[in-house]
Amino acid sequence: MKRWQKAIQDNYGTPSIELVSGKGSVVKDANGNTYLDFLAGIATNVLGHAHPAIVKVVSKQISTLGHVSNFYAHPNVLELAEKLQKLTGDKSARTFFCNSGAEANEAAFKLSRKTGKYRVVATQEAFHGRTMGALSLTGQPSKRNPFKPLIKGIKHVPFGDSSAMKRAITKKTAMVIVEPIMGEAGVIVPPSDYLKNLRQYCDEKGALLVFDCVQTGMGRTGDWFGYEYSGIKPDVITLAKGLGGGLPLGAMIALGSAAQLFEAGDHGSTFGGNPVATAAALAVISSIEKEKILAHVDQVGAFLLAELALTPGVSEVRGAGLLIGLTLDKPVAKSVVKKCQELGALINAPGDTTIRLAPALNVSMKQAEIFLAIFKRALKEVTHV
Ligand code: PLP
């Protein structure tokens, strides 16, 4: 910890454990302690740690050709874009690759300027990243305030409130950006007709509809993209986290006429679409398909939701698939996270009463049962109930 403090900036605080290896949903720290990983790199390691398919293709790729830049084509980047196009079910889909969620949202933000308009409607408490553009879209005052003034022209309305959105979207709106389920805000699920309503309002006013699927994409909710249950399609999908299965990779996928807005020279990224990261993403997609992981996510997610709802000390359970948020009766979430860590499970607390679970999508039912036992014991010990 002393070495960390002497070499690393304090923006994260100092972590209490150092992880050195992992296999599937189990990680080991530098002292040899093992933990069930129910956070998975913050909803990122969708296939768990050291998945053989990722290890194989990444090892092969790095020993063949590690990086080429976007001056040159590479088969992986093309294959991945084609694969993503198939997953969207829309032949008009065109992908821009980058390295993170913030960059994917920056790309969407810039794309919206190419409509000739600049106003944006986003939602309060949403999280879209920490770079200046993405932070301007983010609706969390604690993250925004130290960095004001941010980009102008962005209105934040309450999440899930269709009427507020309807009032805010005008003919001057370039884009509306929402998370299908707000992740960092504590796994907040909107009313079932919300996304459909947004599609209608955007169509009426000629605004781009952007779904930030950085956290809810790549099978996390039991679908490829977190909006699919709504039956509508956005104009832009942003992805990162699970896409690279642990390697840094983001994507901004535009559909329909939005896919034609960027022209040569408008945007770029040196590392975006790197052959190693895209090899990992191809392995992620083919493993999710081959191992029938989406159905598994539904099954384990439903089991966890049902069991957690019956747990004393838990007042609300919400989410979809393996993105699960809990509200506790008492503001002890941070102590519960600490106690779980002592008992051998990693989770996180986005707020004082809120716990978030986002395990690997291939976490086993047995591991889910072991986790529940740890969590229930931790909650009991912390609240003395
Ligand atoms: N968008 C959403 C919905 C996120 O959950 C996150 C990260 O938590 C981001 C964007 C930012 O992603 P990154 O940290 O990769 O920049």
Side-chain angles (χ1 to χ4, degrees):
M1 284 166 89
K2 274 193 190 130
R3 272 177 61 208
W4 176 280
Q5 282 159 358
K6 283 185 182 163
I8 293 188
Q9 296 198 16
D10 203 25
N11 54 309
Y12 298 114
T14 308
S16 57
I17 52 171
E18 183 184 29
L19 300 180
V20 292
S21 65
K23 186 82 191 146
S25 284
V26 178
V27 285
K28 197 185 256 190
D29 73 12
N31 296 325
N33 302 309
T34 56
Y35 306 86
L36 258 181
D37 184 2
F38 263 58
L39 193 54
I42 321 181
T44 291
N45 302 306
V46 284
L47 299 183
H49 300 275
H51 189 282
I54 296 186
V55 171
K56 187 174 162 199
V57 294
V58 164
S59 309
K60 185 166 172 227
Q61 189 57 54
I62 194 66
S63 60
T64 311
L65 189 65
H67 179 70
V68 295
S69 91
N70 291 294
F71 280 131
Y72 310 101
H74 185 274
N76 290 355
V77 77
L78 184 53
E79 195 182 330
L80 181 59
E82 287 171 348
K83 199 83 208 176
L84 289 170
Q85 187 183 72
K86 260 205 191 112
L87 296 182
T88 64
D90 195 322
K91 285 207 166 86
S92 71
R94 301 284 184 275
T95 298
F96 164 79
F97 287 108
C98 51
N99 312 286
S100 67
E103 284 176 72
N105 289 327
E106 290 285 345
F109 198 179
K110 280 183 74 177
L111 188 85
S112 78
R113 292 283 175 106
K114 297 283 299 193
T115 61
K117 302 188 276 188
Y118 73 91
R119 289 181 200 271
V120 174
V121 185
T123 57
Q124 292 165 9
E125 299 309 320
F127 185 73
H128 298 296
R130 306 265 197 164
T131 52
M132 288 303 265
L135 184 62
S136 303
L137 301 171
T138 290
Q140 301 186 5
S142 62
K143 299 196 172 68
R144 297 165 54 85
N145 289 346
F147 302 100
K148 283 181 168 174
L150 296 170
I151 296 174
K152 298 221 167 12
I154 302 165
K155 188 174 174 64
H156 289 91
V157 298
F159 181 75
D161 182 340
S162 289
S163 329
M165 259 302 177
K166 188 171 187 178
R167 284 194 300 275
I169 303 168
T170 71
K171 286 219 154 70
K172 289 186 175 169
T173 306
M175 77 171 190
V176 171
I177 182 164
V178 295
E179 296 173 71
I181 294 174
M182 288 204 295
E184 296 302 298
V187 189
I188 312 295
V189 185
S192 57
D193 59 353
Y194 185 58
L195 302 183
K196 212 169 170 183
N197 289 342
L198 300 191
R199 178 71 279 171
Q200 186 196 323
Y201 308 149
C202 286
D203 286 346
E204 282 166 8
K205 305 291 181 189
L208 295 181
L209 179 59
V210 181
F211 285 156
D212 176 346
C213 297
V214 167
Q215 189 152 158
T216 52
M218 302 312 293
R220 174 62 48 198
T221 62
D223 287 323
W224 283 107
F225 307 109
Y227 64 82
E228 282 178 49
Y229 74 89
S230 68
I232 57 109
K233 273 185 200 161
D235 301 296
V236 178
I237 303 159
T238 57
L239 292 176
K241 290 196 183 278
L243 179 60
L247 274 86
L249 183 64
M252 186 274 285
I253 309 170
L255 314 177
S257 55
Q260 306 301 322
L261 288 170
F262 271 162
E263 296 163 283
D266 275 343
H267 198 44
S269 163
T270 296
F271 287 117
N274 165 277
V276 180
T278 47
L282 287 166
V284 165
I285 294 172
S286 66
S287 299
I288 290 177
E289 285 173 339
K290 267 192 233 145
E291 296 170 29
K292 302 196 179 356
I293 286 178
L294 296 185
H296 177 76
V297 166
D298 284 338
Q299 201 190 356
V300 183
F303 168 70
L304 283 168
L305 274 179
E307 288 289 323
L308 288 163
L310 298 173
T311 302
V314 174
S315 50
E316 192 188 62
V317 181
R318 44 187 191 268
L322 285 171
L323 182 61
I324 296 176
L326 314 174
T327 300
L328 305 180
D329 290 341
K330 295 184 185 152
V332 291
K334 299 219 161 35
S335 309
V336 171
V337 169
K338 199 163 164 253
K339 182 56 77 177
C340 277
Q341 191 174 298
E342 280 168 30
L343 297 174
L346 304 182
I347 55 174
N348 117 295
D352 292 339
T353 54
T354 317
I355 298 280
R356 174 178 45 179
L357 311 178
L361 306 184
N362 55 3
V363 66
S364 70
M365 203 55 121
K366 182 85 205 149
Q367 287 169 324
E369 282 167 8
I370 297 170
F371 167 75
L372 280 170
I374 293 175
F375 179 76
K376 285 178 188 180
R377 185 172 153 203
L379 190 52
K380 202 168 173 187
E381 287 189 18
V382 165
T383 52
H384 311 291
V385 289

